[in-house]
Amino acid sequence: MKKIALFGNPNTGKSSIFNRLTGLRQRVGNFPGVTVDKRSGYVNVENQEIEIIDFPGTYSIYPRSKDEEIVYNVISNKNDKNFPDKVVVVVDSSNLERNLLFFSQIYDLGIPTALVLNMTDVAAKNGLEINLSYIEEAFPYAKIIRSNARIGTGINELKKWFVSDVESVQDFKPLIAKEDFDAQVLDSESRFSAIKILLKKVVQTVEKEESFTSKVDKWLIHPVWGYLFFFTILLLIFQMVFSLASYPMDWIDAGAANFASWLGNVLPEGIFTSLVVDGIIPGIGGVLVFIPQIGLLFTLLIILEETGYMARVVFITDKLMRPFGLNGKSVVPLLSSAACAIPGIMATRTIGSWQERLTTILVAPLISCSARLPVYTLLIALVIPDRTVLGFLNIQGLVLFGLYMLGIVSALIVAWVIKQFFKNKELSVFLLEMPEYKTPRWKNVGIEVYEKVKIFVLDAGKIILAISIVLWALASFGPGNKMDELAKLVPLPVVQNEESMLEYNSKIASVKLENSYMGYLGKAIEPVISPLGYDWKMGISLLTSFAAREIFVGSLATIYSVHNADEHSELLIDKLRRQKFANGSPVYTLASGMSLLIFYVFAMQCMATLAVVKRETKSWKWPMLQLGYMGVLAYVGALITYQILK
């Protein structure tokens, strides 16, 4: 199968080109031997299946970060499994001077290369006219294609080039050793000199009025209004996530409950039916119900990125980061952690300073990720009233916003503490080139959201399915015949009607659950968690959620499905509202609910994140330190919250 490498500087529209070419035929993995994201996709052209590999964005073929090193390692080794048959370099037509450096380095390797002049519309708006003939003359063996990926211009021409019979005929210029920094600097200087001379002929500037981007940036990167706008955007996002997604969530929740009830009536009684109805369906349904919220959150964040606003967020927050031992480059990993800490931690490879990179890695999991969202949503709906303030601000949405802000503030405070332990207090230089504002390409947004939600559901689904089966087994069986013997001691009601028999069956299920293997495990950890306001069932869910945070909800759904075996159609939140301690007081109150919320803001409840931190730092010392300090923060924070509110 023919391999096409997709290269380019950051913010050149490379991802839009990739999505245009591959659509939904994409997969995400890692490059061999490293935890660097590898996006590959497939396109069929004239009955030929072609693999497109989307490489990390880079400014030069000579690496200054872990991401850029991937490009060097692949392109310098013809035996590498990802070495391409052809190369596509995507450049920003409005900034050719910076972009052509990397292209010229790739061109000199002698691999058949296409130069895609993307964002031609932006160049035109900026008053730039590009003469292709001079570029073709300077790079005679490259295929030059004008493109506007947002509307699909140039994509068909690029596909035809994929299957064309192109030979490499120019002389191959060997790469400079990546350790020879001086030679790389001299090479770059000579290339920039040649590029500047070339661009005097290639680019003509037409005087234009002040651009829309310049006008808007006067407000959005203003030292006061810029922060106020960013704060407002965040507040609106969490209001929308909580309010708009509530309707489809209710439909999914009710659908899963009704499906479980229907299956329970249709299938014959037995272990298999109990496994499916009380174990698998509640566990999986407990995650599927949050797809609307997660999808909406991803959609809003991707729209902000597509418009070019995220680059402004990085710029204005740079000053905020520096006193805490970070800089603007830390913002992207931290923002990425709002989706998932794993890609956020991997995104720290762009940070040149080890001190700043390690600090960012250690605090990234404090940023509330999408896996926490199901926990937050369930508990907020359970203990926070559904009311509005000022006529339009939903209290539940404000609490959700507050939890995210608490994570951000905590990350900055911990980063400042870590900074005090470093001898080298000097921060690296932060440079950023901000893209033009543009309207989101909705197909691109849709593809990105689909891929992210699919990864979330499939990855979580595998773990939840396994844990749901284990939990069902632990809750359904116990040592010896004790469960059945104690269940027989529950007296039959004197008056046997539908209501009394439901209560009788509930007592039997409760006795069995408390004397199951799960009950014994829960009772063993109860002394540790009872000061936080939790019962043993919460404790079991806390333990299982160390595999992944969102499993907390699926675990509760499985536990209470076993406990309420005759009430499959009842929603999980209604089951939780009815839970009582032995003394008759409710289990889920404002105090215990807020305690759980604070616990999950701070707790490192994700084994996969710990594994990635180990790989990135090449030591178990840092993930263990991370697990320890976050565990202490979680327990102490939850304890204080419960004791104050109870």
Side-chain angles (χ1 to χ4, degrees):
M1 184 185 298
K2 186 178 289 185
K3 281 187 172 64
I4 307 290
L6 199 59
F7 292 135
N9 291 181
N11 296 318
T12 58
K14 182 166 62 72
S15 293
S16 294
I17 296 280
F18 178 75
N19 287 334
R20 279 280 182 187
L21 290 169
T22 61
L24 297 178
R25 300 185 63 197
Q26 301 177 10
R27 67 183 184 192
V28 178
N30 289 330
F31 286 96
V34 289
T35 53
V36 176
D37 273 353
K38 173 189 175 183
R39 282 212 309 172
S40 59
Y42 301 89
V43 58
N44 190 289
V45 184
E46 297 180 6
N47 296 320
Q48 293 187 44
E49 191 78 355
I50 297 169
E51 181 181 10
I52 314 291
I53 303 174
D54 184 16
F55 282 79
T58 179
Y59 291 103
S60 169
I61 203 168
Y62 300 110
R64 295 291 177 269
S65 68
K66 292 290 185 183
D67 273 8
E68 293 181 343
E69 194 171 335
I70 289 296
V71 175
Y72 181 93
N73 291 341
V74 170
I75 214 71
S76 62
N77 179 14
K78 290 189 175 182
N79 295 321
D80 191 288
K81 64 180 292 186
N82 292 307
F83 189 85
D85 300 293
K86 291 183 178 182
V87 170
V88 175
V89 180
V90 182
V91 301
D92 178 358
S93 298
S94 64
N95 197 337
L96 287 178
E97 182 175 340
R98 171 173 59 81
N99 284 246
L100 285 180
L101 169 68
F102 180 52
F103 167 72
S104 68
Q105 292 171 331
I106 295 293
Y107 176 82
D108 285 345
L109 295 178
I111 306 170
T113 302
L115 172 64
V116 176
L117 295 168
N118 198 30
M119 300 185 181
T120 50
D121 57 329
V122 175
K125 287 179 182 177
N126 291 344
L128 302 178
E129 294 181 356
I130 299 171
N131 191 323
L132 284 187
S133 61
Y134 289 111
I135 299 180
E136 291 170 342
E137 182 181 322
F139 304 102
Y141 303 111
K143 174 68 174 178
I144 313 297
I145 300 173
R146 285 182 184 268
S147 171
N148 181 352
R150 304 171 61 74
I151 60 175
T153 305
I155 298 299
N156 287 334
E157 188 178 358
L158 187 58
K159 289 180 180 179
K160 290 178 182 178
W161 180 77
F162 289 165
V163 295
S164 64
D165 201 7
V166 180
E167 294 292 336
S168 172
V169 293
Q170 77 262 39
D171 294 334
F172 172 75
K173 185 174 182 179
L175 285 169
I176 300 169
K178 61 182 176 182
E179 298 82 12
D180 194 347
F181 184 72
D182 292 337
Q184 293 170 20
V185 171
L186 291 174
D187 178 74
S188 296
E189 288 176 348
S190 66
R191 289 179 186 275
F192 270 127
S193 298
I195 289 169
K196 286 180 180 179
I197 294 171
L198 172 64
L199 291 182
K200 287 179 181 179
K201 297 184 290 184
V202 170
V203 181
Q204 294 180 348
T205 305
V206 179
E207 284 192 18
K208 297 205 69 166
E209 295 181 3
E210 185 180 19
S211 68
F212 172 78
T213 293
S214 299
K215 292 177 181 177
V216 174
D217 275 347
K218 288 180 180 179
W219 295 95
L220 296 192
I221 62 176
H222 187 275
V224 176
W225 303 117
Y227 291 114
L228 182 61
F229 183 80
F230 178 47
F231 181 86
T232 304
I233 285 290
L234 287 180
L235 183 59
L236 289 175
I237 284 175
F238 293 115
Q239 286 289 312
M240 292 173 69
V241 164
F242 217 96
S243 58
L244 295 184
S246 61
Y247 301 105
M249 287 177 67
D250 290 343
W251 300 335
I252 295 172
D253 198 9
N258 290 331
F259 180 60
S261 179
W262 176 78
L263 271 184
N265 294 327
V266 170
L267 296 176
E269 288 189 14
I271 291 179
F272 175 75
T273 298
S274 176
L275 169 61
V276 173
V277 173
D278 300 327
I280 295 175
I281 293 178
I284 299 298
V287 171
L288 295 181
V289 70
F290 297 102
I291 288 178
Q293 281 193 326
I294 292 168
L296 183 57
L297 177 62
F298 280 138
T299 299
L300 296 173
L301 292 177
I302 291 169
I303 288 174
L304 292 180
E305 189 173 346
E306 280 268 309
T307 58
Y309 177 66
M310 276 300 188
R312 276 73 188 174
V313 173
V314 172
F315 177 77
I316 65 174
T317 52
D318 179 54
K319 285 185 179 179
L320 290 178
M321 296 290 106
R322 291 185 173 275
F324 301 98
L326 306 168
N327 76 10
K329 285 187 178 180
S330 300
V331 175
V332 173
L334 294 179
L335 287 175
S336 299
S337 297
C340 178
I342 292 172
I345 289 167
M346 292 192 294
T348 62
R349 297 188 196 92
T350 60
I351 303 174
S353 163
W354 169 245
Q355 169 187 333
E356 293 170 359
R357 185 182 175 214
L358 178 61
T359 304
T360 308
I361 288 173
L362 292 177
V363 303
L366 285 170
I367 306 298
S368 290
C369 63
S370 58
R372 288 179 171 107
L373 194 56
V375 182
Y376 290 169
T377 303
L378 176 68
L379 294 173
I380 289 173
L382 190 60
V383 301
I384 304 297
D386 184 11
R387 299 174 188 163
T388 57
V389 292
L390 302 178
F392 69 99
L393 290 176
N394 183 277
I395 294 177
Q396 294 178 332
L398 287 174
V399 172
L400 181 64
F401 173 73
L403 294 173
Y404 273 81
M405 292 305 299
L406 176 60
I408 293 170
V409 171
S410 302
L412 293 177
I413 294 173
V414 172
W416 181 85
V417 173
I418 293 172
K419 178 185 175 183
Q420 310 311 309
F421 291 92
F422 282 105
K423 294 180 181 179
N424 176 23
K425 302 295 174 68
E426 183 180 352
L427 296 177
S428 60
V429 177
F430 172 61
L431 299 174
L432 175 69
E433 187 167 338
M434 289 184 285
E436 296 284 321
Y437 289 111
K438 52 188 182 293
T439 305
R441 190 169 77 82
W442 298 110
K443 183 178 179 181
N444 196 46
V445 172
I447 290 173
E448 293 287 337
V449 172
Y450 171 78
E451 287 296 320
K452 292 181 182 297
V453 171
K454 183 178 75 172
I455 291 171
F456 174 82
V457 171
L458 292 181
D459 287 355
K462 294 174 187 175
I463 302 172
I464 290 168
L465 179 60
I467 289 183
S468 295
I469 293 172
V470 171
L471 286 176
W472 169 83
L474 289 175
S476 299
F477 302 99
N481 297 320
K482 192 173 182 181
M483 289 174 63
D484 294 328
E485 291 174 357
L486 291 174
K488 292 176 182 177
L489 299 179
V490 177
L492 276 167
V494 177
V495 179
Q496 297 183 11
N497 52 34
E498 184 177 355
E499 183 179 348
S500 64
M501 290 307 295
L502 281 175
E503 184 179 354
Y504 170 71
N505 290 331
S506 178
K507 287 180 180 179
I508 288 179
S510 181
V511 168
K512 286 185 175 181
L513 186 61
E514 289 191 24
N515 291 279
S516 66
Y517 291 115
M518 181 186 289
Y520 284 109
L521 177 60
K523 295 293 184 181
I525 63 173
E526 198 166 32
V528 178
I529 59 174
S530 59
L532 309 181
Y534 311 158
D535 70 350
W536 65 269
K537 296 169 191 172
M538 290 189 206
I540 292 293
S541 299
L542 283 178
L543 286 179
T544 58
S545 66
F546 271 98
R549 299 173 181 95
E550 64 271 33
I551 290 175
F552 176 81
V553 178
S555 297
L556 284 178
T558 300
I559 291 171
Y560 286 112
S561 286
V562 175
H563 181 235
N564 300 278
D566 295 325
E567 301 170 16
H568 301 300
S569 61
E570 188 178 22
L571 302 183
L572 174 60
I573 194 168
D574 294 327
K575 295 176 182 177
L576 298 180
R577 287 189 177 119
R578 292 193 295 99
Q579 297 308 304
K580 299 271 193 300
F581 285 110
N583 61 8
S585 62
V587 172
Y588 291 92
T589 62
L590 177 63
S592 63
M594 288 302 301
S595 173
L596 264 173
L597 287 169
I598 296 301
F599 183 91
Y600 273 99
V601 168
F602 295 126
M604 170 59 87
Q605 300 282 100
C606 183
M607 293 188 294
T609 301
L610 289 172
V612 169
V613 173
K614 191 269 178 185
R615 291 194 67 179
E616 292 295 313
T617 61
K618 296 180 173 59
S619 169
W620 275 111
K621 175 175 71 173
W622 301 114
M624 289 301 101
L625 173 66
Q626 197 173 38
L627 179 64
Y629 93 77
M630 291 183 71
V632 171
L633 280 179
Y635 191 89
V636 173
L639 178 64
I640 293 173
T641 301
Y642 180 71
Q643 296 302 323
I644 290 174
L645 295 178
K646 72 175 182 178

